[in-house]
Amino acid sequence: MSTDEMEETDASERTRWLWFGVALTIIYAAYTILILALLRVDQSIALVVVVGGSVAFGLAIMIYVLYFR
């Protein structure tokens, strides 16, 4: 593999991580809006969604990065 091919692969990998971060940012923003809406309805439901969603998102991100990337 030449140096140019290695740099191209490295740039491609960085672009993939960039889009992964952008996707996470969009998901997190939607999640925050959901929590704010739930806080207006019922605080106990919002608390359950916050804790459950945070654990689920954390596990999903960890599994994706470790096993699928």
Side-chain angles (χ1 to χ4, degrees), residues 23-36:
L24 284 179
T25 303
I26 292 168
I27 291 169
Y28 184 72
Y31 181 68
T32 302
I33 291 169
L34 172 70
I35 297 306
L36 290 174

Side-chain angles (χ1 to χ4, degrees), residues 32-49:
T32 302
I33 291 169
L34 172 70
I35 297 306
L36 290 174
L38 284 174
L39 281 171
R40 291 180 164 259
V41 175
D42 188 8
Q43 291 179 353
S44 60
I45 293 173
L47 180 63
V48 169
V49 171

